[in-house]
Amino acid sequence: DFFEKIAPAKYWFSTLGWPILVSILLAAIPYPCGCMPYSVKIEAKPYDIALSLIPSLLGFGIGAYALVFGLGGDLLKKIQEGHIKKEIDTKSPAGSVLSINSAFAFPLATMAITTIVASVQKILPEILFLSTVTWFLTFLCLTLTYQLIDPL
C-alpha cells in the first residue's frame, strides 16, 4: 500500500533531472579526464567548500520549513482549500498541503548526507572517487536550494 503512493519515476526525473545533470557537469570540471573540454585546477578542497557551505544551507532550509509551518493553520487550510477547489474545477487529482513536506524533505536529507560524506572525505582526502562525490553532492545541494526558493 505504501509503494502505491510514491510518485512515478517520470516525476522524479522531471523534478530532479536538471539539478543532477548540472551537478554532474560541475563536478567533472576539475578533473582532466578528457571527458570535459575544459578542466580547471581548483585549489579548494571539496570537503572545505562543503563543510563551510552546506551547514548554512541546511540551517536556511530548516528555518524556511519552520516558517512555512509556523505561519499557522489558517494559511495551510487556505492552501488545501485551493487544492480542493482546483481538483473540483479541473476534475483531475490535485496536490495536497502535505506536498510541502516532500518539497523540503529531499533537499534537507541531501544536505545532511553531503555533510557526512564531506566529513568522511576530510578524513580520507586521497580518495578521488570520494572527492568527486563530495563535489557532486555540494553542487546538488546548491541546485536543490535554488529549487526551494525559486517559487517564492
Side-chain angles (χ1 to χ4, degrees):
D1 186 40
F2 174 76
F3 290 108
E4 293 173 9
K5 296 179 183 177
I6 293 177
K10 69 178 182 177
Y11 294 122
W12 282 89
F13 185 73
S14 68
T15 301
L16 298 175
W18 76 266
I20 290 174
L21 181 63
V22 167
S23 300
I24 288 170
L25 292 174
L26 289 173
I29 287 175
Y31 301 106
C33 61
C35 59
M36 295 293 290
Y38 301 103
S39 62
V40 180
K41 176 74 171 136
I42 297 177
E43 294 296 325
K45 303 293 183 204
Y47 57 83
D48 285 336
I49 301 294
L51 291 175
S52 64
L53 182 66
I54 302 304
S56 297
L57 293 176
L58 185 58
F60 170 77
I62 291 171
Y65 181 77
L67 280 174
V68 166
F69 284 98
L71 291 175
D74 293 336
L75 177 66
L76 295 176
K77 286 179 187 176
K78 286 180 184 178
I79 293 172
Q80 186 60 40
E81 288 169 3
H83 284 298
I84 292 170
K85 184 178 182 313
K86 181 181 177 183
E87 186 172 355
I88 292 170
D89 292 344
T90 62
K91 301 203 184 338
S92 64
S96 168
V97 157
L98 297 177
S99 65
I100 296 172
N101 283 330
S102 63
F104 279 93
F106 184 75
L108 294 178
T110 303
M111 291 175 198
I113 291 167
T114 302
T115 304
I116 293 167
V117 170
S119 299
V120 171
Q121 204 254 326
K122 187 170 186 172
I123 296 169
L124 307 166
E126 302 85 23
I127 300 175
L128 183 63
F129 176 74
L130 202 52
S131 176
T132 305
V133 170
T134 303
W135 277 124
F136 168 75
L137 288 173
T138 301
F139 290 125
L140 183 62
C141 287
L142 289 171
T143 56
L144 291 175
T145 302
Y146 173 76
Q147 276 189 328
L148 279 178
I149 62 174
D150 184 42
L152 303 175

